[in-house]
């Protein structure tokens, strides 16, 4: 009886350990699935809102984006809508708020968007800092830097630097820079 009781206690302990080993990974997997499905849900809302914006259904896109305000890509779109005043009153302060949130979450594009708002508000030094801090500059970034040097926005006018940035922008395929680059080459060099 004693041996039988000891074996069954030991067997019970083994069973508990076995169950615990089986349950912990499934619990972790379940947490992972919950997190992933939450992320997937937010990303799905972002895709839906993007499509609504492309179709110029801004009111519906705002409703959709209000469901995923904590997702960085949704924050970018909210900033975009507020910055452009699509179906709402243009509000650069809200645009700045959402772009900063997205930037804090690691969205590189928010850097450029925030700089664009600062340029609109004539806060050129802030814009210049942001544009210069963008690690992988694209045509739009070089274009804005070129314009800032061309017109002296927050910097001393410098047609050589303007030309350099506009040329780089044009090489990267940003179409608006070509016309400005042609003007600079014809009139300033």
């Amino acid at each position: 009886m004693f041996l039988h009781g000891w074996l069954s206690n030991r067997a019970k302990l083994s069973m508990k350990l076995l169950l615990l080993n089986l349950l912990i990974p499934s619990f972790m997997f379940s947490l992972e699935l919950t997190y992933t499905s939450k992320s997937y849900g937010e990303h799905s809302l972002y895709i839906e809102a993007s499509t609504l914006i492309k179709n110029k259904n801004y009111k519906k896109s705002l409703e959709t984006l209000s469901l995923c305000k904590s997702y960085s890509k949704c924050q970018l779109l909210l900033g975009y809508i507020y910055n452009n005043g699509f179906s709402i009153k243009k509000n650069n302060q809200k645009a700045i708020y959402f772009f900063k949130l997205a930037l804090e979450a690691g969205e590189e594009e928010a850097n450029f968007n925030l700089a664009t708002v600062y340029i609109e508000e004539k806060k050129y030094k802030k814009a210049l800092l942001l544009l210069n801090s963008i690690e992988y500059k694209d045509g739009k970034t070089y274009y804005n830097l070129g314009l800032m040097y061309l017109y002296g926005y927050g910097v001393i006018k410098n047609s050589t630097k303007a030309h350099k940035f506009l040329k780089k922008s044009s090489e990267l395929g940003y179409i608006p820079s070509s016309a400005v680059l042609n003007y600079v080459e014809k009139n300033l060099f």
Side-chain angles (χ1 to χ4, degrees):
M1 185 81 137
F2 173 75
L3 188 57
H4 184 288
W6 179 80
L7 285 174
S8 67
N9 282 342
R10 184 165 173 101
K12 285 179 187 173
L13 181 61
S14 293
M15 288 301 289
K16 284 180 182 175
L17 288 173
L18 180 63
L19 281 173
L20 194 56
N21 284 334
L22 291 173
L23 287 177
I24 288 177
S26 17
F27 174 70
M28 296 306 284
F29 180 70
S30 147
L31 280 178
E32 225 173 86
L33 280 178
T34 305
Y35 176 74
T36 305
S37 65
K38 181 178 187 266
S39 299
Y40 177 76
E42 289 175 329
H43 190 72
S44 295
L45 290 169
Y46 161 74
I47 297 295
E48 182 182 334
S50 296
T51 304
L52 290 165
I53 289 171
K54 285 178 187 167
N55 295 329
K56 297 184 177 21
N57 190 345
Y58 303 114
K59 283 192 189 252
K60 181 72 176 156
S61 69
L62 269 173
E63 291 170 19
T64 304
L65 289 168
S66 71
L67 301 173
C68 62
K69 283 183 188 177
S70 62
Y71 184 55
S72 60
K73 294 197 179 301
C74 290
Q75 293 163 347
L76 274 173
L77 287 181
L78 283 164
Y80 176 74
I81 288 172
Y82 281 110
N83 180 238
N84 291 290
F86 292 135
S87 82
I88 54 169
K89 185 177 180 191
K90 182 177 170 72
N91 186 331
N92 278 350
Q93 294 314 309
K94 281 191 177 182
I96 289 169
Y97 170 76
F98 283 112
F99 288 147
K100 280 183 176 180
L101 286 177
L103 186 58
E104 288 169 10
E107 291 292 337
E108 180 84 7
E109 189 179 335
N111 218 344
F112 174 80
N113 293 337
L114 189 53
T116 303
V117 176
Y118 285 144
I119 290 170
E120 281 180 27
E121 294 191 341
K122 297 180 176 29
K123 295 178 181 175
Y124 301 122
K125 296 230 184 263
K126 284 184 174 185
L128 190 63
L129 281 171
L130 286 168
L131 291 171
N132 281 322
S133 73
I134 296 173
E135 189 173 348
Y136 301 104
K137 294 173 179 55
D138 61 2
K140 295 184 301 186
T141 305
Y142 284 114
Y143 176 73
N144 279 337
L145 284 167
L147 291 180
M148 292 182 81
Y149 280 99
L150 182 63
Y151 297 112
Y153 294 151
V155 294
I156 296 170
K157 280 185 183 184
N158 185 327
S159 57
T160 305
K161 280 189 177 182
H163 182 265
K164 178 182 102 175
F165 288 129
L166 291 166
K167 186 171 183 171
K168 183 71 175 171
S169 175
S170 183
E171 289 169 357
L172 290 170
Y174 191 62
I175 295 169
S177 61
S178 298
V180 179
L181 181 61
N182 286 336
Y183 168 81
V184 169
E185 288 175 342
K186 287 179 184 175
N187 298 303
L188 301 177
F189 285 100

